[in-house]
Amino acid sequence: QSVLTQPPSASGTPGQRVTISCSGSTSNIGSHDVNWYQQLPGTAPKVVIYDNNQRPSGVPDRFSGFKSGTSASLAISGLQSEDEADYYCVTWDDSLNGPVVFGGGTKLTVL
Amino acid sequence: EVQLVQSGAEVKKPGESLQISCQASGYSFTAYWVGWVRQMPGKGLEWMGIVFPADSDTRYTPSFRGQVTISADKSISTAYLHLSSLEASDTAIYYCARGRHFYDPLWDYWGQGTLVTVSS
């Protein structure tokens, strides 16, 4: 059972916009910035969004992040087949759950 | 070019110990934290702990404290994850990753991962 709650799966067709949610509490998302990682099959994770809504250089602007209260979300617009991957949210947690907590991950399928 | 290169896959028996290495290059090893993340087969990511090589300051997630030891040798730019009294449930891929601050889970470079299999 992960401290941060993500839907286990999401899907979309090429060109669509998909949103992945991440729900937490006041001790984690409610108090700290959220980062998002993409993990392609058989590879190490890669950050796609940091500090809630910032994109590292090299990440397409199709990726965007949003945070409000104790929830965050990752949106991918203009979905492409190469976006098929697992996505994880992560943040700091002030409670005994911490200090760093991940969401359970969302498997994104491009239909 | 920043690189984190981990030691190779291991097969161990229950009760044995294991040390995984993560050799850094292409940046100042003592200016960044190095963390470790576990991924059990078919499962998500779990943060285990982190070390600051400059002074060996180490932080652990409560569930891993006492179960693993994280260290670093700044003379050879290498971080380590030591696992003792291995059990089948330690079977996983272990990743090292570089971070600027221990309190910020923003890791910009990752090792390739080390697969550990524990089986009798």
Side-chain angles (χ1 to χ4, degrees):
Chain A
Q1 187 94 8
S2 301
V3 175
L4 305 181
T5 301
Q6 296 181 234
S9 63
S11 63
T13 57
Q16 269 192 328
R17 183 177 190 268
V18 171
T19 301
I20 297 171
S21 63
C22 175
S23 177
S25 66
T26 54
S27 67
N28 43 65
I29 294 179
S31 303
H32 302 284
D33 292 331
V34 176
N35 302 328
W36 289 88
Y37 287 85
Q38 174 196 62
Q39 187 177 31
L40 297 169
T43 69
K46 165 193 164 186
V47 58
V48 291
I49 292 290
Y50 68 96
D51 290 353
N52 305 319
N53 54 21
Q54 302 298 303
R55 272 180 296 104
S57 61
V59 174
D61 60 6
R62 302 184 294 103
F63 289 82
S64 59
F66 177 78
K67 189 187 101 165
S68 178
T70 58
S71 294
S73 60
L74 171 71
I76 309 171
S77 59
L79 200 61
Q80 298 182 5
S81 58
E82 67 212 48
D83 300 330
E84 186 161 293
D86 294 323
Y87 291 86
Y88 296 90
C89 57
V90 62
T91 189
W92 187 265
D93 192 307
D94 296 322
S95 75
L96 294 178
N97 291 317
V100 172
V101 289
F102 280 99
T106 298
K107 181 173 182 56
L108 174 63
T109 301
V110 181
L111 302 170
Chain B
E1 179 193 8
V2 174
Q3 283 191 307
L4 296 175
V5 179
Q6 299 182 223
S7 48
E10 301 265 10
V11 179
K12 291 291 187 179
K13 292 185 177 352
E16 293 184 335
S17 297
L18 168 68
Q19 182 163 274
I20 302 169
S21 65
C22 172
Q23 182 163 36
S25 62
Y27 72 97
S28 175
F29 185 61
T30 53
Y32 290 79
W33 293 75
V34 177
W36 290 90
V37 173
R38 182 176 79 174
Q39 187 167 38
M40 300 173 71
K43 301 298 184 183
L45 306 173
E46 300 173 272
W47 193 81
M48 304 176 73
I50 198 165
V51 61
F52 192 58
D55 60 6
S56 292
D57 185 5
T58 311
R59 315 292 173 99
Y60 295 93
T61 290
S63 58
F64 288 99
R65 187 176 294 119
Q67 310 305 311
V68 304
T69 302
I70 293 171
S71 61
D73 185 341
K74 60 186 178 183
S75 69
I76 55 172
S77 299
T78 301
Y80 299 97
L81 174 67
H82 185 264
L83 308 171
S84 58
S85 300
L86 289 165
E87 303 177 355
S89 58
D90 293 313
T91 295
I93 297 175
Y94 295 86
Y95 293 100
C96 63
R98 183 186 86 159
R100 180 60 95 170
H101 306 289
F102 75 87
Y103 53 81
D104 183 2
L106 174 57
W107 307 301
D108 54 358
Y109 287 91
W110 292 64
Q112 80 277 22
T114 296
L115 174 62
V116 174
T117 304
V118 182
S119 174
S120 56

